[in-house]
Structure formats: structure tokens, C-alpha cells
Amino acid sequence: MELLEQLSHCIEFGKINQASPYPPDMKGQDGADELAKMALDQGIGANDILQKGLVPGMEKVGVKFRENKVFVPQVLMSAKAMNAAMEHLKPFFQSGEVTRKGKFVIGTVAGDLHDIGKNLVSMMIEGSGWEIIDLGVDVSTEKLMETIKANPDCVVGLSALLTTTMNNMADTVRKIKAELPNQVILVGGAPLTDDFRKEIGADFYSPDPQGAVEYLNSLVA
Ligand code: B1M
């Protein structure tokens, strides 16, 4: 198997490094950590490592997660493998040699402390080549506005898991849109529907991370 294909395979199956016992059928083999370093040592460009190794692997995970063929723990292992490889690419992001598709500002809305789903969405979007600004949980409209103003070309993603905090999401989206009508806002979270998204004036609703990835990528296609 070609090196970048091997790297993609490690991301897809969550093989972090040689020492990692997971997945059992890859025990003792090189993982994303070693392969990313090897690729750089062989002169493969950091951008190619990201676009042809990491991104395709993460995309496969996103599709399998949507189809219920893998579950949260497997996605977390894939994200860990991706992070191990990304460590080697960091200097190239900093130097500007590797460019991202854009900035994605994400947070769970005010009053809401649920972050497992939000983190999965964030990891999948990062894995598809976007820079992430994760504001965490219980994010106020003021904090969001401040971050959007500091990153004017960003796309915003909001998550809500409680029927009560859906009201806060509505409030936040309306306030952002009133001040910045062209700001693109994507929403998600278990109690949401596309009708709710329309009602509050957000641009897109995705029930899962892969839908969010596909929507974001469509914006820069
Ligand atoms: Co809470 N909780 N919880 N909880 N909790 C729910 C959501 C609840 C449905 C449980 C229940 O009663 N059956 C219920 C909400 C009921 C309602 O509002 N209708 C509930 C409640 C009531 C509460 C408290 C009020 C309980 C209390 O204290 N009385 C309290 C509220 C705290 C607060 O937020 N202010 C509370 C607290 C907690 C914990 C802290 C204990 C913990 C959160 C830990 C954490 O997140 N770090 C917790 C948990 C774990 C849950 C359940 C069990 C699991 C949520 C989860 O992580 N799911 C949940 C019940 C359940 O869902 N079975 C429940 C897994 C995750 C991968 O899925 O978050 O849906 P999900 O994310 C998905 C999609 O929704 C989507 O992609 C993700 C991956 O597929 N998605 C997006 C999410 N965000 C997206 C954003 C996008 C796009 C897609 O674009 C931006």
C-alpha cells in the first residue's frame, strides 16, 4: 500500500502510533504518528499529507458514522490518530505552507453544557481541512460576536441539546443575523429540526457531523 494510502487507513481505523494496541488487527504496525513523519522525511509535501492522507481517512469515518457502521469511540480513536499526524504538520500550518479551507467557529449555546456531539462535529470538520476555533460550552452571544468580528470570514456552528437552550440558540442566531446578515450559521443537536432552523433564520441544519462537513465544503467548492 502506498504511504499516503496507509496513513489514510490509520486515520480511518484509529491507529494512533506503533505502541497503540488499537485496532487489534494492526498491533505492532506503524500508526499515523510514524507514517506522517515518514512521509515528510520522504519529501512529500505537508499539504499532500493533509489532503491525500488525513482528509480522505476522516471522510470515510464520517460516512461510516452517519451510516451507523462505527460509533463514538471509533470516531474518537480516528480523531486521536489524526491529531498525532497533525502534530508533525503544525510547523507547516504556522509557516503558511499548508492552507486551510477556512475558519469554523463552534460552540454549544448559552446555558447548555453538552459537548460530546459538538466535539465530534468539530473533529470531523477539522479533519476535512478547516481551522477550528472552539469556544466550548455555555457560549454567550457576546462572546460569539466578538469572535466573529475578530475572524470576519468564519462560518459559525452552534450546538444545542436541550429544548430549553434551543430558545437561547434562536436568540443568538437572531442577534448575530440582525447585526451581520451575511454571517453563515450552521446549527445542530439532537432536539433540532430543519423547520426550527428555518424559523430562527440559520442557514443550514445538519443532524450529523458528516452533513456539516459536506455543507462547509460546499461553501468553498
Ligand atoms: Co443531558 N440531557 N442533561 N447531560 N444528556 C440529554 C440531552 C437528555 C435528552 C436526557 C434525557 O432526559 N433523556 C435531556 C434533554 C431533554 C430535553 O431537553 N428535551 C438532558 C437533560 C435534561 C440534562 C440536564 C438538564 C439534567 C439535569 O441536570 N437535570 C442537564 C443539563 C445541563 C446543562 O446543559 N445545563 C444535563 C447534563 C448532562 C451531563 C453533564 C451529565 C452530560 C453531558 C456531558 C457532556 O456533554 N460533556 C449529559 C449527557 C451525556 C446526556 C445524554 C445522555 C447524551 C448526550 C450525548 O452526548 N449524546 C443525553 C441523552 C441522549 O442523547 N441519550 C442527555 C451523544 C452525542 C454524540 O450526540 O450530542 O446528539 P449528540 O450530537 C450528535 C448530533 O446531535 C449532531 O452530531 C452529533 C454526533 O452525531 N450534532 C450536531 C450535535 N451538535 C451539532 C452541531 C452541528 C451539527 C450537528 O453543527 C454546528
Side-chain angles (χ1 to χ4, degrees):
M1 211 191 284
E2 189 241 326
L3 188 54
L4 292 184
E5 212 180 311
Q6 250 178 294
L7 181 56
S8 173
H9 189 79
C10 287
I11 304 301
E12 182 181 351
F13 294 95
K15 178 70 176 166
I16 303 168
N17 53 29
Q18 199 183 54
S20 168
Y22 180 85
D25 63 337
M26 291 176 78
K27 201 171 170 186
Q29 294 178 21
D30 282 339
D33 184 13
E34 292 83 8
L35 294 177
K37 184 173 181 315
M38 211 181 283
L40 284 171
D41 290 346
Q42 287 186 11
I44 301 177
N47 220 4
D48 280 348
I49 297 175
L50 177 69
Q51 300 302 342
K52 298 180 186 165
L54 309 188
V55 171
M58 228 29 197
E59 195 187 336
K60 287 185 184 147
V61 179
V63 172
K64 288 200 283 189
F65 184 62
R66 167 191 273 170
E67 293 172 351
N68 293 323
K69 289 182 180 153
V70 297
F71 301 97
V72 173
Q74 282 110 318
V75 179
L76 293 177
M77 293 308 284
S78 291
K80 281 192 174 176
M82 190 189 77
N83 287 339
M86 288 282 247
E87 274 302 308
H88 298 286
L89 303 187
K90 254 188 197 160
F92 301 92
F93 287 121
Q94 281 148 8
S95 71
E97 186 181 318
V98 177
T99 49
R100 311 267 188 129
K101 291 177 180 164
K103 286 183 188 173
F104 183 59
V105 173
I106 187 166
T108 303
V109 298
D112 199 323
L113 302 177
H114 296 84
D115 68 357
I116 299 169
K118 186 261 303 165
N119 292 344
L120 288 176
V121 172
S122 160
M123 286 172 203
M124 299 300 303
I125 290 177
E126 183 173 27
S128 92
W130 287 72
E131 181 180 342
I132 304 294
I133 301 175
D134 189 341
L135 299 179
V137 296
D138 188 20
V139 180
S140 67
T141 307
E142 293 67 34
K143 177 77 190 159
L144 272 161
M145 285 302 296
E146 194 184 297
T147 311
I148 296 167
K149 285 176 182 166
N151 300 278
D153 295 327
C154 71
V155 176
V156 169
L158 297 175
S159 179
L161 260 289
L162 299 169
T163 42
T164 47
T165 58
M166 283 169 71
N167 296 327
N168 300 345
M169 175 181 268
D171 190 49
T172 296
V173 171
R174 288 186 185 123
K175 282 183 178 150
I176 295 174
K177 287 284 185 180
E179 203 172 324
L180 303 164
N182 296 326
Q183 177 59 52
V184 179
I185 307 175
L186 154 74
V187 293
L192 272 66
T193 60
D194 198 47
D195 282 344
F196 176 74
R197 188 275 305 169
K198 286 183 194 140
E199 194 185 309
I200 66 175
D203 298 276
F204 191 76
Y205 157 70
S206 173
D208 55 41
Q210 189 58 21
V213 167
E214 287 167 8
Y215 175 67
L216 282 194
N217 288 343
S218 76
L219 298 174
V220 292

